[in-house]
Amino acid sequence: KNQVEQSPQSLIILEGKNCTLQCNYTVSPFSNLRWYKQDTGRGPVSLTIMTFSENTKSNGRYTATLDADTKQSSLHITASQLSDSASYICVLTGGGNKLTFGTGTQLKVEL
Amino acid sequence: EPEVTQTPSHQVTQMGQEVILRCVPISNHLYFYWYRQILGQKVEFLVSFYNNEISEKSEIFDDQFSVERPDGSNFTLKIRSTKLEDSAMYFCASSERENEQFFGPGTRLTVL
């Protein structure tokens, strides 16, 4: 069964600090890997999209990496802000544009 | 900026009742999707829809569920006879092609 596991499950950091979220997957084959940000009670919003041949993709303070050999991806957030507090979800796109969502990492940024 | 909209934002219903959740996808998008998220759990794929027919559905999407595009703008999810375990956030998404999906804000369904 295709799985997308994320770690840590939750994370608390101080404003201004950096953090890295991890994603391990067994979805195969897949066309792309996305990281989404989901605020509480809202729909997911795309942060980055990478094809299986890309190693890294940046979007402002967000940088995603992908290692297709080890089936791992990471999302690095630089200089965190209070508004970064949300759930960050690793999502893989399989056949038919079907998305397989990860378990998510709940990030809280504090003063 | 165009966005996916969903109504209602919150629906409360009695077990066994029928509910219809409505979505207005982004206007030039051709692919439509429904997902659900039970409280505290991950988002799960329900169904994808293209060219007026279901292209893929998950095992969750049983005979109690149906989707329809009744006109040129709306995309609906119907649950025929709701169960307690149908309580969840339901997200609609749309995409221009088989690429990035844009999600709506969700409808919170509460079945009593």
Side-chain angles (χ1 to χ4, degrees), chain B residues 17-96:
Chain B
Q17 295 296 306
E18 175 184 284
V19 294
I20 297 177
L21 309 183
R22 291 182 167 79
C23 168
V24 178
I26 294 174
S27 60
N28 64 329
H29 286 186
L30 302 176
Y31 296 80
F32 315 111
Y33 315 84
W34 282 101
Y35 295 84
R36 80 169 186 191
Q37 185 176 30
I38 294 171
L39 185 65
Q41 298 186 22
K42 63 183 180 180
V43 178
E44 298 173 290
F45 169 78
L46 290 178
V47 65
S48 57
F49 190 87
Y50 170 73
N51 200 25
N52 283 318
E53 61 182 24
I54 291 173
S55 43
E56 189 166 355
K57 60 182 181 179
S58 72
E59 58 272 15
I60 303 169
F61 194 88
D62 61 22
D63 292 343
Q64 292 299 312
F65 291 88
S66 62
V67 289
E68 194 177 33
R69 189 156 163 80
D71 52 45
S73 59
N74 289 283
F75 179 52
T76 62
L77 174 69
K78 181 192 292 186
I79 308 175
R80 216 171 320 250
S81 177
T82 51
K83 303 187 285 284
L84 294 176
E85 53 265 37
D86 292 329
S87 295
M89 281 288 283
Y90 288 82
F91 294 105
C92 171
S94 70
S95 64
E96 190 175 358

Side-chain angles (χ1 to χ4, degrees), chain A residues 36-54:
Chain A
Y36 280 89
K37 178 185 178 185
Q38 186 179 20
D39 293 309
T40 302
R42 306 290 297 174
V45 175
S46 180
L47 296 175
T48 63
I49 301 177
M50 289 184 292
T51 65
F52 61 87
S53 60
E54 293 180 289

Side-chain angles (χ1 to χ4, degrees), chain A residues 45, chain B residues 1-5 26 100 102:
Chain A
V45 175
Chain B
E1 187 174 331
E3 58 183 17
V4 176
T5 59
I26 294 174
E100 182 177 0
F102 292 84

